[in-house]
Amino acid sequence: MSKELQLQVAPEIAANAPLLQAHIAKLMHVSANEIQKVVVLKRSVDARQKAIKINIKANVFFQGEPVVEETIALPHYNEVSNAPEVIVVGAGSAGLFAALRLIELGLKPIVIERGKDVRGRRRDLKAINRDHIVNEDSNYCFGEGGAGTYSDGKLYTRSKKRGDVDRILKLLVAFGATPEILVEAHPHIGTNKLPQIIQDIREKIKECGGQVLFETRVTDIIIESNKVRGVITNTGETIKAEKIILATGHSARDIFELLDRKKVLIEAKPFALGVRAEHPQSLIDQIQYSCDFRGEYLPPAPYSIVKQVNGRGMYSFCMCPGGVIAPCATSPGEVVTNGWSPSKRDQATANSGIVVELKLEDFKPFAKHGALAGMEFQKAIEQKAWHLAGGSYQSAATQQTQKVPAQRLVDFTQRKVSADIPKTSYVPGTTSVELGEVFPDFLTQIMREGFVQFGKSMKGYYTNEAVLHAPESRTSSPVRIPRDPYTLEHLEIEGLYPCGEGAGYAGGIISAAIDGEKCAEKCAETMKR
């Protein structure tokens, strides 16, 4: 009979199946030949001690017994060409998984995506990186797959509902992701591999009779007697439906403005904002692994750090080992940073958002904008950063620049303009700026004090080898679209399901996918009564 074990082993043993099997045999006081197979269920790095270990949870199968491994397969998807229709606005993680779940439940999704398909987006990403041209509908935030597709593909979530998380991970594996994402403590697909999975999900939606409309922007939501009746698109087309899953992402400012104009209830929501810090990956490895060289058996080291500074949390966000910093603006005349890693995480640098939690009171200077005050606060910092890095307000419509303000870390804390900025992974380039000019004084002071505290906790982190890029501003939505906690419908508009990151109910690929499925299920419940 198989036996489940939890153990710690050296990295070189964890990386070699025969060595791991021999090690387990020794622990169990049996011959290695008596073990038929070891199936690793979970794996994580424990770097708390000088001798780094790998935590492993595994099933051990002995000779003569059947090896039982879970088969990962797609669920049954219905043919829904003639089924009742649900509009899904946005083809990010929330929208795509909502569409798949609708098909499972016998409903037809009509997915409306303002951007291009996942392959077509690449030309626009090249344009923003090399030519500094921002396509407002096709960029790192907008397009098939949403913000997660070309900004890392991290699958880690703080969701406590393990069953929901496992379901989404298994669906990704069934669509082509490596089964390793079911094993690793912090699973990651990689920006280079996720596009094919997204494309296959889209093809499954279409194969089953669903629709996916690209380069189609929703310009109005038809509401009659506080009930949705459909949408109007930028082409002038009216698409009718009595259920709309609104999964537009955290950067769809035009949708927030539309809802505000239509007097649909929305709320300003606190979020976090700061900079993106880049260090040499070798330095982060030395800090985290307490060694000069991590060797071939350990992955590039991540880090996670949180400090309380002047009553506010300052913390790392979306840390990318072996990754690069990307330009994530969604309009000309602004700059925004984010980070991503390829599947091998093999770049020479590590980067992370380092952000400070904001409060609603911080948005008071923008109070005239009502529920959009946080969004206007965010926008003002992005536009100021663009200007300080070289953009001109007089020629914003024609001037193309995606350079960002940058400063060496120690220089920032000491209020010194850096004499030079080394070449970083941010392709459009940097301009040496005193970053205190980018942010409000209270935010600058918290970051200056916080980085010094970071250095005390992570010896070596506080160094002028690190370069800060500003701003990291799209951590989550600056707006919440309130919904009933049970029905998931908007509090005032029947048939409208605010969903995912843009509505303020998720934070990443997995949690957004989970929320998309839940909204689909609630749609189905009411439509089948």
Side-chain angles (χ1 to χ4, degrees), residues 37-102:
K37 190 171 185 179
V38 174
V39 177
V40 176
L41 304 175
K42 292 293 177 184
R43 180 170 49 235
S44 63
V45 178
D46 185 347
R48 292 173 295 178
Q49 305 298 323
K50 189 169 184 179
I52 298 168
K53 299 292 184 181
I54 307 296
N55 296 318
I56 286 180
K57 178 180 177 182
N59 266 342
V60 182
F61 294 91
F62 295 93
Q63 296 293 348
E65 65 177 335
V67 175
V68 181
E69 294 188 69
E70 184 178 10
T71 301
I72 307 296
L74 290 174
H76 172 71
Y77 289 117
N78 295 296
E79 163 55 47
V80 295
S81 299
N82 299 311
E85 296 176 340
V86 176
I87 293 172
V88 179
V89 186
S93 177
L96 290 176
F97 279 85
L100 287 173
R101 188 71 177 128
L102 288 169

Side-chain angles (χ1 to χ4, degrees), residues 128-184:
I128 193 172
N129 273 289
R130 297 189 180 179
D131 304 320
H132 301 229
I133 298 172
V134 181
N135 182 325
E136 295 188 70
D137 289 317
S138 180
N139 44 62
Y140 277 96
C141 291
F142 298 145
E144 186 180 23
T149 299
Y150 287 109
S151 56
D152 207 46
K154 284 188 184 68
L155 304 178
Y156 176 68
T157 176
R158 290 182 175 85
S159 173
K160 304 300 181 186
K161 297 186 177 180
R162 192 67 237 175
D164 292 340
V165 173
D166 288 343
R167 171 181 162 83
I168 300 300
L169 291 175
K170 289 174 183 176
L171 279 173
L172 287 168
V173 171
F175 274 108
T178 170
E180 288 293 297
I181 67 173
L182 301 173
V183 174
E184 299 296 340

Side-chain angles (χ1 to χ4, degrees), residues 3-10 13 18-32 34-35 38 53-58 60 62:
K3 185 171 181 178
E4 187 177 290
L5 284 183
Q6 296 199 30
L7 64 155
Q8 282 194 331
V9 298
I13 291 176
L19 286 180
L20 179 61
Q21 185 164 317
H23 182 84
I24 288 174
K26 187 175 181 180
L27 282 178
M28 300 182 73
H29 305 290
V30 299
S31 165
E34 293 179 54
I35 296 177
V38 174
K53 299 292 184 181
I54 307 296
N55 296 318
I56 286 180
K57 178 180 177 182
V60 182
F62 295 93

Side-chain angles (χ1 to χ4, degrees), residues 11 14 52 60 97 99 123 210 218 236 243 247 250-251 255 259 329 338 396 408-409 424 483 497 504 525 527:
I52 298 168
V60 182
F97 279 85
R123 290 187 293 274
V218 170
K243 301 289 180 182
H250 58 43
S251 294
I255 293 295
L259 296 175
N338 198 352
R408 291 178 183 266
L409 194 160
T424 74
R483 68 188 188 189
Y497 294 81
E525 282 180 19
M527 294 179 77

Side-chain angles (χ1 to χ4, degrees), residues 113-126:
E113 171 54 52
R114 67 192 297 161
K116 298 178 183 177
D117 66 68
V118 74
R119 302 295 177 187
R121 288 176 73 183
R122 288 180 172 175
R123 290 187 293 274
D124 299 307
L125 300 187
K126 182 177 179 181

